[in-house]
Amino acid sequence: MSKFLLIIGLLIFAYACRTFHNRYLNKAGWVAVLVASYLAAYFLTGSHVWGWLALALWFLFPWVEIVGRVRKLRFPIHSHVKHRFPPSREVFPDLDEITNEVEEAGFSKTDDAGWKWDETDHFVRLFYNEEKKLQATISVAQQEAFIFSHASLTTRTADGETLVTTNYPFSFTMKLSPRQRMNRCDDAETFEDMLVSHEAFLARHGITSAKTEAQDPENLHTVIEDDLVQQVSHNLDAGVIVRTEGEQFRYSWRGCFFLWCQVVKDMLRV
């Protein structure tokens, strides 16, 4: 009975840790789940080997999903980012509230746009700050009942570099383009926090206003489309994805391994 209570206690501790917006507590919760899995198998079998196997299953399940489902998916090489209506309040009830927060920070809304990759519907609301020559986006991805959102800030330089600060909640499913630099801002609680982080990011890379290139607010959706094309092209060259029939691509075996590493990184990320 004491062994059973120990496992239940670890799981309750793990759940409690995951309710906090603290990276170290979240990490402790994940470790507690792994320990509970190991102990459950060990107590049932009396073998440490089965304990390690139970722990390893957490890392095996993503590989089965990637090989069994993701590798069969097909995505368009050229994604057409078009003007579109925003998602309903039932799908994303916080859109207006976040929009107000971005506009209060000095940005003007320029467009609502989107594209679709297989079963995933992508929506972006675009903003621009002329004084800072800075693009902002609110993005929503919807795949059946699974919905998540994130915000991004993008600065483009005259020599072709793109510097992005984002609170995107997962590791990226493709490699970044060579001229793209990414600043993860997972712990930002407000849009203002992201702005502060982005300005510090630019300072670290020596990007001043003189080096920043102004964008045409009316054509930001076409710039995003170009970014997608460049990323797909880079990943084709890197062997992460391969061409299929009908101007589409799928993940290669190298790409499957890359995705698995990204999923494991998400599992272990603090």
Side-chain angles (χ1 to χ4, degrees), residues 20-128:
F20 288 92
H21 296 290
N22 182 287
R23 58 191 304 186
Y24 299 107
L25 286 176
N26 289 167
K27 176 65 174 179
W30 171 237
V31 171
V33 169
L34 294 179
V35 172
S37 301
Y38 177 91
L39 291 178
Y42 172 69
F43 290 154
L44 286 172
T45 64
S47 171
H48 289 290
V49 173
W50 283 103
W52 285 111
L53 285 174
L55 190 150
L57 284 176
W58 284 101
F59 302 94
L60 178 61
F61 287 145
W63 178 255
V64 173
E65 168 73 5
I66 290 168
V67 174
R69 188 184 72 86
V70 176
R71 195 168 187 273
K72 297 177 181 178
L73 298 179
R74 300 294 185 267
F75 306 94
I77 288 178
H78 298 286
S79 295
H80 299 290
V81 181
K82 303 176 181 179
H83 304 280
R84 55 159 289 180
F85 291 107
S88 66
R89 290 187 61 86
E90 288 75 20
V91 172
F92 189 49
D94 299 327
L95 180 59
D96 290 341
E97 181 180 345
I98 300 174
T99 296
N100 291 337
E101 187 178 353
V102 176
E103 290 177 337
E104 287 173 2
F107 290 78
S108 298
K109 176 188 168 186
T110 63
D111 199 4
D112 284 340
W115 68 98
K116 192 166 185 177
W117 271 19
D118 196 69
E119 301 171 355
T120 305
D121 191 18
H122 297 269
F123 166 80
V124 290
R125 174 160 287 178
L126 300 164
F127 304 84
Y128 192 68

Side-chain angles (χ1 to χ4, degrees), residues 7-246:
I7 294 171
I8 294 299
L10 284 169
L11 294 176
I12 292 174
F13 173 76
Y15 176 79
C17 287
R18 302 296 289 183
T19 61
F20 288 92
H21 296 290
N22 182 287
R23 58 191 304 186
Y24 299 107
L25 286 176
N26 289 167
K27 176 65 174 179
W30 171 237
V31 171
V33 169
L34 294 179
V35 172
S37 301
Y38 177 91
L39 291 178
Y42 172 69
F43 290 154
L44 286 172
T45 64
S47 171
H48 289 290
V49 173
W50 283 103
W52 285 111
L53 285 174
L55 190 150
L57 284 176
W58 284 101
F59 302 94
L60 178 61
F61 287 145
W63 178 255
V64 173
E65 168 73 5
I66 290 168
V67 174
R69 188 184 72 86
V70 176
R71 195 168 187 273
K72 297 177 181 178
L73 298 179
R74 300 294 185 267
F75 306 94
I77 288 178
H78 298 286
S79 295
H80 299 290
V81 181
K82 303 176 181 179
H83 304 280
R84 55 159 289 180
F85 291 107
S88 66
R89 290 187 61 86
E90 288 75 20
V91 172
F92 189 49
D94 299 327
L95 180 59
D96 290 341
E97 181 180 345
I98 300 174
T99 296
N100 291 337
E101 187 178 353
V102 176
E103 290 177 337
E104 287 173 2
F107 290 78
S108 298
K109 176 188 168 186
T110 63
D111 199 4
D112 284 340
W115 68 98
K116 192 166 185 177
W117 271 19
D118 196 69
E119 301 171 355
T120 305
D121 191 18
H122 297 269
F123 166 80
V124 290
R125 174 160 287 178
L126 300 164
F127 304 84
Y128 192 68
N129 184 311
E130 291 191 9
E131 180 182 353
K132 296 182 178 182
K133 293 180 281 188
L134 183 58
Q135 168 192 322
T137 60
I138 302 171
S139 303
V140 183
Q142 180 181 7
Q143 185 178 33
E144 296 180 350
F146 178 67
I147 303 168
F148 72 90
S149 64
H150 66 281
S152 299
L153 291 162
T154 303
T155 294
R156 303 177 191 277
T157 67
D159 62 356
E161 274 196 319
T162 302
L163 297 95
V164 182
T165 293
T166 181
N167 62 353
Y168 185 76
F170 310 109
S171 294
F172 301 110
T173 55
M174 287 198 291
K175 294 188 175 189
L176 300 177
S177 303
R179 300 288 288 167
Q180 188 175 48
R181 299 178 184 272
M182 192 66 59
N183 174 36
R184 299 295 294 268
C185 193
D186 301 341
D187 55 351
E189 296 185 359
T190 65
F191 186 76
E192 190 65 35
D193 290 342
M194 289 189 63
L195 271 174
V196 172
S197 179
H198 188 69
E199 289 171 357
F201 178 50
L202 296 180
R204 287 198 302 272
H205 290 282
I207 305 300
T208 62
S209 178
K211 295 180 179 180
T212 303
E213 186 175 51
Q215 303 295 310
D216 180 358
E218 299 302 319
N219 289 315
L220 291 181
H221 67 285
T222 63
V223 177
I224 290 178
E225 185 173 308
D226 290 342
D227 288 343
L228 291 171
V229 170
Q230 290 176 18
Q231 188 175 34
V232 168
S233 178
H234 173 63
N235 280 266
L236 284 169
D237 293 339
V240 172
I241 56 178
V242 293
R243 287 179 179 269
T244 63
E245 69 288 342

